[in-house]
Amino acid sequence: MINIAIRKVLNDYVAFIDCFKHQFSPEMEEFEQRSRRNRSGHIGGFNYQFHGAGCRLEKDGIVCEFDFMPTNEYPIKFSLWGMKEFILTNKGYGIDKLEESELHEVLYPLVEDGTLVKLVLGGVVWEVYQI
């Protein structure tokens, strides 16, 4: 079992994305329009690349993957793989190895308490977390 303060990691993850979004475009509607036109680039220390419904951010060696579609009341969506990349590339956490099953285990209580919500599309519950 990994020893990680998952709520702090989640807060760091959201803050990382919010910092980028604020620099790219603080308004969500404008953000979505700009992300269709400016598929990749550099802004405020971030390298970004939009792909499909997702975005890959890199800053100071930290990699952050997130999805922002389909649009619903949860603006940030991520997979276990995306969160794993964020943790492993953030040297401040001191984690060199992480299994997705371990990450699922520490995220599950956050789903149970409503901090995170699983994505449901067409009646199917996906392994995508929303916040």
Side-chain angles (χ1 to χ4, degrees):
M1 179 71 175
I2 60 170
N3 182 15
I4 191 167
I6 195 63
R7 286 187 189 276
K8 179 185 180 340
V9 170
L10 190 58
N11 287 338
D12 293 348
Y13 180 81
V14 170
F16 195 87
I17 294 167
D18 284 346
C19 181
F20 167 74
K21 282 183 171 182
H22 180 73
Q23 292 179 52
F24 189 76
S25 178
E27 300 297 323
M28 190 58 180
E29 186 176 310
E30 182 184 349
F31 178 87
E32 289 178 0
Q33 291 172 0
R34 285 192 66 196
S35 68
R36 288 187 204 113
R37 293 188 312 264
N38 303 317
R39 301 301 290 167
S40 64
H42 181 80
I43 188 169
F46 288 93
N47 290 318
Y48 65 90
Q49 180 179 8
F50 290 98
H51 51 84
C55 183
R56 177 185 176 91
L57 303 176
E58 290 183 46
K59 182 178 183 181
D60 300 328
I62 299 171
V63 175
C64 181
E65 293 268 353
F66 71 99
D67 293 329
F68 55 91
M69 295 296 282
T71 301
N72 61 20
E73 65 271 27
Y74 304 102
I76 297 173
K77 297 163 181 41
F78 63 90
S79 66
L80 286 173
W81 177 83
M83 182 59 70
K84 178 181 167 182
E85 288 296 301
F86 182 75
I87 293 168
L88 292 176
T89 59
N90 190 326
K91 301 304 177 199
Y93 301 137
I95 297 175
D96 297 326
K97 183 181 176 191
L98 177 62
E99 298 295 327
E100 286 186 11
S101 59
E102 294 174 300
L103 186 53
H104 180 334
E105 202 171 303
V106 296
L107 288 174
Y108 184 75
L110 300 181
V111 173
E112 289 291 304
D113 74 12
T115 301
L116 295 174
V117 176
K118 290 278 196 97
L119 177 64
V120 179
L121 287 175
V124 176
V125 179
W126 297 85
E127 280 301 311
V128 173
Y129 298 85
Q130 306 176 105
I131 189 165

